[in-house]
Amino acid sequence: MAEESPKNSAAEIPVTSNGEVGDAHEHGYNRFFSFYLNVTKDLKHSLPSGLGLSETQITSHGFDSTKEGVTEAGASQGGQRTHTKGGPVILADEIKNPAMEKLELVRKWSLNTYKCTRQIISEKLGRGSRTVDLELEAQIDILRDNKKKYENILKLAQTLSTQLFQMVHTQKQLGDAFADLSLKSLELHEEFGYNADTQKLLAKNGETLLGAINFFIASVNTLVNKTIEDTLMTVKQYENARIEYDAYRTDLEELNLGPRDANTLPKIEQSQHLFQIHKEKYDKMRSDVSVKLKFLEENKVKVLRNQLALFHSAVAAYFAGNQKQLEQTLKQFHVKLKTPGVDAPSWLEEQ
Protein backbone atom coordinates (compact mmCIF):
# COMPACT_ATOMS: atom_id res chain seq x y z
CA MET A 1 0.00 0.00 0.00
CA ALA A 2 1.15 3.50 -0.77
CA GLU A 3 1.80 5.56 2.29
CA GLU A 4 -0.61 8.37 3.01
CA SER A 5 0.79 11.86 2.58
CA PRO A 6 1.40 13.48 6.00
CA LYS A 7 -0.96 16.30 6.92
CA ASN A 8 -0.57 19.09 9.35
CA SER A 9 -2.98 18.63 12.18
CA ALA A 10 -3.70 22.38 12.32
CA ALA A 11 -4.92 22.25 8.73
CA GLU A 12 -7.27 19.31 9.15
CA ILE A 13 -10.89 20.44 9.00
CA PRO A 14 -13.63 17.77 9.23
CA VAL A 15 -16.24 17.82 6.50
CA THR A 16 -19.88 16.76 6.88
CA SER A 17 -21.62 14.35 4.59
CA ASN A 18 -22.90 17.10 2.33
CA GLY A 19 -19.45 18.70 1.87
CA GLU A 20 -19.94 21.64 4.33
CA VAL A 21 -17.53 22.52 7.07
CA GLY A 22 -18.62 21.68 10.58
CA ASP A 23 -20.02 24.64 12.57
CA ALA A 24 -17.71 24.29 15.57
CA HIS A 25 -14.56 24.02 13.53
CA GLU A 26 -15.71 26.83 11.20
CA HIS A 27 -16.22 29.10 14.19
CA GLY A 28 -12.73 28.25 15.47
CA TYR A 29 -11.18 28.99 12.11
CA ASN A 30 -12.90 32.39 11.91
CA ARG A 31 -11.67 33.29 15.41
CA PHE A 32 -8.10 32.32 14.50
CA PHE A 33 -8.20 34.31 11.25
CA SER A 34 -9.58 37.42 13.00
CA PHE A 35 -6.92 37.13 15.73
CA TYR A 36 -4.16 36.91 13.10
CA LEU A 37 -5.38 40.03 11.28
CA ASN A 38 -5.57 42.00 14.54
CA VAL A 39 -2.05 40.97 15.53
CA THR A 40 -0.75 41.97 12.10
CA LYS A 41 -2.50 45.35 12.31
CA ASP A 42 -1.18 46.06 15.83
CA LEU A 43 2.34 45.09 14.77
CA LYS A 44 2.18 47.50 11.83
CA HIS A 45 1.05 50.45 13.99
CA SER A 46 3.69 49.67 16.63
CA LEU A 47 6.55 50.11 14.14
CA PRO A 48 8.37 53.50 14.05
CA SER A 49 7.09 56.24 11.72
CA GLY A 50 8.31 55.76 8.17
CA LEU A 51 8.50 51.92 8.46
CA GLY A 52 5.87 49.37 7.59
CA LEU A 53 5.40 45.68 7.03
CA SER A 54 7.30 45.06 3.85
CA GLU A 55 5.55 41.77 3.27
CA THR A 56 2.52 40.19 4.86
CA GLN A 57 1.63 36.60 4.04
CA ILE A 58 -1.70 35.06 4.94
CA THR A 59 -2.04 31.34 4.24
CA SER A 60 -5.31 29.49 4.45
CA HIS A 61 -5.37 25.76 3.99
CA GLY A 62 -8.27 24.25 2.16
CA PHE A 63 -9.78 20.86 2.64
CA ASP A 64 -6.70 18.98 1.46
CA SER A 65 -4.02 21.61 2.42
CA THR A 66 -2.93 21.94 -1.20
CA LYS A 67 -4.26 25.46 -1.97
CA GLU A 68 -2.84 28.63 -0.46
CA GLY A 69 -3.78 32.31 -0.77
CA VAL A 70 -0.90 34.77 -0.45
CA THR A 71 -1.28 38.56 -0.19
CA GLU A 72 1.70 40.92 -0.32
CA ALA A 73 1.27 44.59 0.59
CA GLY A 74 4.01 47.23 0.24
CA ALA A 75 4.00 51.00 0.14
CA SER A 76 5.40 52.63 -2.97
CA GLN A 77 6.34 56.24 -3.52
CA GLY A 78 3.57 58.54 -4.71
CA GLY A 79 0.65 56.26 -3.84
CA GLN A 80 -0.49 52.81 -2.77
CA ARG A 81 0.53 49.47 -4.26
CA THR A 82 -1.24 46.19 -3.61
CA HIS A 83 -0.05 42.90 -5.13
CA THR A 84 -2.57 40.10 -4.71
CA LYS A 85 -2.18 36.41 -5.43
CA GLY A 86 -5.40 35.42 -3.71
CA GLY A 87 -7.16 35.75 -0.40
CA PRO A 88 -7.93 39.02 1.47
CA VAL A 89 -6.69 42.36 0.08
CA ILE A 90 -4.66 44.68 2.36
CA LEU A 91 -4.04 48.29 1.30
CA ALA A 92 -0.90 50.07 2.50
CA ASP A 93 -1.44 53.62 3.80
CA GLU A 94 0.60 56.35 2.13
CA ILE A 95 3.19 57.74 4.51
CA LYS A 96 3.28 61.55 4.77
CA ASN A 97 6.44 63.19 6.05
CA PRO A 98 6.17 66.94 6.87
CA ALA A 99 9.92 67.05 7.41
CA MET A 100 10.43 66.61 3.66
CA GLU A 101 8.38 69.74 2.95
CA LYS A 102 10.42 71.78 5.44
CA LEU A 103 13.61 70.41 3.93
CA GLU A 104 12.47 71.54 0.49
CA LEU A 105 11.74 75.05 1.79
CA VAL A 106 15.19 75.23 3.39
CA ARG A 107 16.75 74.07 0.12
CA LYS A 108 14.98 76.79 -1.88
CA TRP A 109 15.90 79.46 0.66
CA SER A 110 19.55 78.38 0.66
CA LEU A 111 19.69 78.42 -3.13
CA ASN A 112 18.11 81.89 -3.31
CA THR A 113 20.49 83.22 -0.63
CA TYR A 114 23.48 81.81 -2.50
CA LYS A 115 22.41 83.44 -5.77
CA CYS A 116 21.81 86.83 -4.13
CA THR A 117 25.11 86.71 -2.23
CA ARG A 118 26.97 85.86 -5.40
CA GLN A 119 25.27 88.76 -7.19
CA ILE A 120 26.20 91.23 -4.42
CA ILE A 121 29.84 90.10 -4.43
CA SER A 122 30.01 90.33 -8.21
CA GLU A 123 28.66 93.89 -8.13
CA LYS A 124 31.14 94.96 -5.45
CA LEU A 125 34.02 93.47 -7.40
CA GLY A 126 32.85 95.20 -10.58
CA ARG A 127 32.23 91.96 -12.45
CA GLY A 128 28.45 91.74 -12.36
CA SER A 129 25.92 94.07 -13.95
CA ARG A 130 23.06 95.66 -12.02
CA THR A 131 19.75 97.14 -13.07
CA VAL A 132 19.57 100.89 -12.37
CA ASP A 133 16.60 103.25 -12.51
CA LEU A 134 18.43 106.59 -12.61
CA GLU A 135 15.42 108.77 -11.77
CA LEU A 136 14.27 106.59 -8.89
CA GLU A 137 17.78 106.16 -7.51
CA ALA A 138 18.26 109.94 -7.48
CA GLN A 139 15.02 110.43 -5.52
CA ILE A 140 16.09 107.78 -2.99
CA ASP A 141 19.47 109.44 -2.49
CA ILE A 142 17.80 112.81 -1.90
CA LEU A 143 15.43 111.23 0.61
CA ARG A 144 18.27 109.66 2.60
CA ASP A 145 20.23 112.92 2.59
CA ASN A 146 17.17 114.90 3.74
CA LYS A 147 16.54 112.40 6.52
CA LYS A 148 20.03 113.04 7.94
CA LYS A 149 19.46 116.80 7.81
CA TYR A 150 16.05 116.55 9.48
CA GLU A 151 17.55 114.36 12.18
CA ASN A 152 20.14 117.10 12.84
CA ILE A 153 17.40 119.74 13.10
CA LEU A 154 15.48 117.47 15.46
CA LYS A 155 18.52 117.00 17.67
CA LEU A 156 19.22 120.75 17.86
CA ALA A 157 15.57 121.54 18.61
CA GLN A 158 15.60 119.00 21.46
CA THR A 159 18.75 120.62 22.84
CA LEU A 160 17.09 124.05 22.65
CA SER A 161 14.03 122.70 24.46
CA THR A 162 16.17 121.28 27.25
CA GLN A 163 18.11 124.49 27.70
CA LEU A 164 14.94 126.62 27.61
CA PHE A 165 13.31 124.42 30.22
CA GLN A 166 16.30 124.90 32.52
CA MET A 167 16.22 128.68 31.96
CA VAL A 168 12.48 128.86 32.69
CA HIS A 169 12.98 126.83 35.85
CA THR A 170 15.77 129.20 36.95
CA GLN A 171 13.63 132.26 36.21
CA LYS A 172 10.85 130.89 38.37
CA GLN A 173 13.22 130.35 41.27
CA LEU A 174 14.71 133.81 40.80
CA GLY A 175 11.26 135.40 40.74
CA ASP A 176 10.28 133.63 43.98
CA ALA A 177 13.52 134.80 45.61
CA PHE A 178 12.87 138.42 44.56
CA ALA A 179 9.31 138.26 45.85
CA ASP A 180 10.47 136.94 49.24
CA LEU A 181 13.04 139.72 49.61
CA SER A 182 10.47 142.29 48.58
CA LEU A 183 8.41 141.38 51.63
CA LYS A 184 11.35 141.30 54.05
CA SER A 185 13.29 144.34 52.82
CA LEU A 186 11.08 147.40 53.25
CA GLU A 187 13.68 149.80 51.93
CA LEU A 188 14.00 147.74 48.69
CA HIS A 189 10.40 146.58 48.48
CA GLU A 190 9.67 148.30 45.16
CA GLU A 191 12.92 147.27 43.43
CA PHE A 192 12.63 143.62 44.43
CA GLY A 193 8.97 143.66 43.52
CA TYR A 194 9.21 144.70 39.87
CA ASN A 195 12.17 142.35 39.32
CA ALA A 196 10.08 139.51 40.71
CA ASP A 197 7.24 140.42 38.32
CA THR A 198 9.62 140.58 35.37
CA GLN A 199 11.11 137.13 36.05
CA LYS A 200 7.69 135.57 36.51
CA LEU A 201 6.50 137.08 33.23
CA LEU A 202 9.59 135.81 31.43
CA ALA A 203 9.03 132.34 32.92
CA LYS A 204 5.41 132.37 31.77
CA ASN A 205 6.36 133.41 28.24
CA GLY A 206 9.15 130.83 28.27
CA GLU A 207 6.63 128.07 29.10
CA THR A 208 4.52 129.20 26.15
CA LEU A 209 7.52 129.15 23.82
CA LEU A 210 8.53 125.78 25.24
CA GLY A 211 5.11 124.38 24.33
CA ALA A 212 5.50 125.60 20.74
CA ILE A 213 9.01 124.14 20.44
CA ASN A 214 7.92 120.77 21.84
CA PHE A 215 5.00 120.69 19.39
CA PHE A 216 7.46 121.38 16.57
CA ILE A 217 9.74 118.57 17.85
CA ALA A 218 6.88 116.06 18.02
CA SER A 219 5.77 116.80 14.45
CA VAL A 220 9.27 116.60 12.98
CA ASN A 221 9.94 113.41 14.95
CA THR A 222 6.83 111.80 13.46
CA LEU A 223 7.89 112.85 9.98
CA VAL A 224 11.46 111.56 10.34
CA ASN A 225 11.09 108.40 12.41
CA LYS A 226 7.71 107.17 11.16
CA THR A 227 6.76 108.55 7.75
CA ILE A 228 10.22 108.70 6.18
CA GLU A 229 11.32 105.50 7.92
CA ASP A 230 8.30 103.64 6.52
CA THR A 231 9.20 104.79 3.02
CA LEU A 232 12.82 103.70 3.50
CA MET A 233 11.60 100.24 4.57
CA THR A 234 9.80 99.97 1.23
CA VAL A 235 12.99 101.15 -0.48
CA LYS A 236 14.90 98.35 1.29
CA GLN A 237 12.41 95.78 -0.01
CA TYR A 238 12.77 97.26 -3.48
CA GLU A 239 16.56 96.94 -3.33
CA ASN A 240 16.30 93.29 -2.22
CA ALA A 241 13.90 92.58 -5.08
CA ARG A 242 16.35 94.23 -7.48
CA ILE A 243 19.20 91.99 -6.29
CA GLU A 244 17.07 88.86 -6.73
CA TYR A 245 15.98 90.01 -10.17
CA ASP A 246 19.57 90.60 -11.30
CA ALA A 247 20.72 87.29 -9.79
CA TYR A 248 18.16 85.23 -11.73
CA ARG A 249 18.68 87.37 -14.83
CA THR A 250 22.39 86.54 -14.73
CA ASP A 251 21.63 82.82 -14.39
CA LEU A 252 19.32 82.91 -17.39
CA GLU A 253 21.86 84.76 -19.50
CA GLU A 254 24.57 82.22 -18.64
CA LEU A 255 22.31 79.29 -19.57
CA ASN A 256 21.31 80.93 -22.86
CA LEU A 257 24.99 81.28 -23.80
CA GLY A 258 25.56 77.54 -23.30
CA PRO A 259 24.53 74.61 -25.51
CA ARG A 260 20.89 73.67 -26.02
CA ASP A 261 20.17 69.97 -25.74
CA ALA A 262 17.81 67.60 -23.95
CA ASN A 263 19.60 68.14 -20.65
CA THR A 264 19.84 71.93 -20.71
CA LEU A 265 16.41 72.83 -22.15
CA PRO A 266 14.49 71.94 -18.94
CA LYS A 267 16.97 74.00 -16.92
CA ILE A 268 16.54 76.97 -19.27
CA GLU A 269 12.75 76.75 -19.04
CA GLN A 270 12.86 76.61 -15.24
CA SER A 271 15.31 79.52 -15.12
CA GLN A 272 13.05 81.51 -17.44
CA HIS A 273 10.08 80.85 -15.16
CA LEU A 274 11.96 81.97 -12.02
CA PHE A 275 13.28 85.03 -13.83
CA GLN A 276 9.76 86.07 -14.81
CA ILE A 277 8.54 85.70 -11.21
CA HIS A 278 11.28 87.93 -9.82
CA LYS A 279 10.88 90.44 -12.65
CA GLU A 280 7.21 90.90 -11.74
CA LYS A 281 8.16 91.31 -8.08
CA TYR A 282 10.81 93.88 -8.97
CA ASP A 283 8.41 95.89 -11.15
CA LYS A 284 5.80 95.91 -8.40
CA MET A 285 8.25 97.10 -5.74
CA ARG A 286 9.56 99.82 -8.06
CA SER A 287 6.01 101.07 -8.56
CA ASP A 288 5.33 101.00 -4.80
CA VAL A 289 8.45 103.04 -4.08
CA SER A 290 7.53 105.66 -6.69
CA VAL A 291 4.04 106.07 -5.21
CA LYS A 292 5.34 106.31 -1.64
CA LEU A 293 7.97 108.87 -2.58
CA LYS A 294 5.32 111.02 -4.22
CA PHE A 295 2.98 110.95 -1.22
CA LEU A 296 5.88 111.49 1.17
CA GLU A 297 6.96 114.64 -0.65
CA GLU A 298 3.44 116.06 -0.50
CA ASN A 299 3.07 115.23 3.19
CA LYS A 300 6.53 116.59 4.04
CA VAL A 301 5.86 119.97 2.41
CA LYS A 302 2.52 120.32 4.16
CA VAL A 303 3.85 119.38 7.62
CA LEU A 304 7.06 121.41 7.48
CA ARG A 305 5.33 124.53 6.11
CA ASN A 306 3.01 124.67 9.14
CA GLN A 307 5.67 123.74 11.67
CA LEU A 308 8.25 126.22 10.40
CA ALA A 309 5.66 129.02 10.45
CA LEU A 310 4.78 128.11 14.04
CA PHE A 311 8.43 128.02 15.12
CA HIS A 312 9.20 131.38 13.53
CA SER A 313 6.16 133.18 14.93
CA ALA A 314 6.63 131.83 18.44
CA VAL A 315 10.33 132.66 18.68
CA ALA A 316 9.82 136.17 17.20
CA ALA A 317 6.97 136.96 19.60
CA TYR A 318 8.91 135.69 22.60
CA PHE A 319 12.04 137.74 22.02
CA ALA A 320 9.94 140.79 21.09
CA GLY A 321 8.24 140.51 24.46
CA ASN A 322 4.82 140.36 22.81
CA GLN A 323 2.90 138.06 25.12
CA LYS A 324 -0.44 138.43 23.32
CA GLN A 325 1.07 137.58 19.92
CA LEU A 326 2.82 134.56 21.42
CA GLU A 327 -0.42 133.23 22.87
CA GLN A 328 -2.28 133.99 19.65
CA THR A 329 0.29 132.03 17.65
CA LEU A 330 -0.28 128.91 19.75
CA LYS A 331 -4.06 129.25 19.39
CA GLN A 332 -3.69 129.61 15.63
CA PHE A 333 -1.80 126.30 15.37
CA HIS A 334 -4.01 124.58 17.98
CA VAL A 335 -1.14 124.03 20.40
CA LYS A 336 -2.28 123.08 23.89
CA LEU A 337 0.01 123.90 26.77
CA LYS A 338 0.46 121.34 29.50
CA THR A 339 -1.01 122.52 32.78
CA PRO A 340 1.17 121.71 35.83
CA GLY A 341 -0.20 118.76 37.79
CA VAL A 342 -2.36 117.52 34.91
CA ASP A 343 -1.49 114.37 32.97
CA ALA A 344 -0.65 114.73 29.30
CA PRO A 345 -3.54 114.02 26.89
CA SER A 346 -3.68 110.69 25.18
CA TRP A 347 -2.78 110.23 21.54
CA LEU A 348 -6.47 110.02 20.56
CA GLU A 349 -7.24 113.27 22.39
CA GLU A 350 -4.40 115.04 20.58
CA GLN A 351 -5.81 113.88 17.24
Side-chain angles (χ1 to χ4, degrees), residues 84-147:
T84 305
K85 293 182 180 179
V89 177
I90 300 177
L91 298 178
D93 296 333
E94 182 180 359
I95 301 175
K96 296 182 179 180
N97 191 358
M100 296 301 296
E101 298 178 359
K102 295 182 179 179
L103 185 62
E104 180 64 17
L105 292 176
V106 172
R107 186 190 70 82
K108 291 181 179 179
W109 175 83
S110 300
L111 182 61
N112 184 74
T113 303
Y114 164 74
K115 290 180 181 293
C116 294
T117 304
R118 185 184 63 177
Q119 177 66 25
I120 294 174
I121 294 175
S122 298
E123 292 177 3
K124 290 186 177 295
L125 294 177
R127 299 175 181 175
S129 61
R130 64 186 299 264
T131 303
V132 179
D133 188 327
L134 296 178
E135 182 180 357
L136 191 60
E137 293 290 339
Q139 294 177 2
I140 294 174
D141 291 340
I142 293 175
L143 174 62
R144 285 174 172 157
D145 184 61
N146 286 338
K147 183 175 184 290

Side-chain angles (χ1 to χ4, degrees), residues 151-208:
E151 286 175 342
N152 184 47
I153 291 177
L154 185 61
K155 182 179 178 181
L156 294 174
Q158 290 171 342
T159 302
L160 177 62
S161 175
T162 302
Q163 294 172 348
L164 180 61
F165 174 80
Q166 293 174 350
M167 186 181 72
V168 169
H169 181 67
T170 303
Q171 287 173 336
K172 283 184 177 181
Q173 291 180 333
L174 186 59
D176 293 339
F178 282 149
D180 182 62
L181 289 173
S182 175
L183 297 175
K184 295 180 180 179
S185 302
L186 297 179
E187 65 280 4
L188 297 174
H189 171 75
E190 185 177 353
E191 287 79 2
F192 278 125
Y194 61 69
N195 275 281
D197 294 339
T198 302
Q199 293 300 321
K200 290 180 180 179
L201 180 61
L202 290 175
K204 182 180 178 181
N205 291 342
E207 289 179 347
T208 306

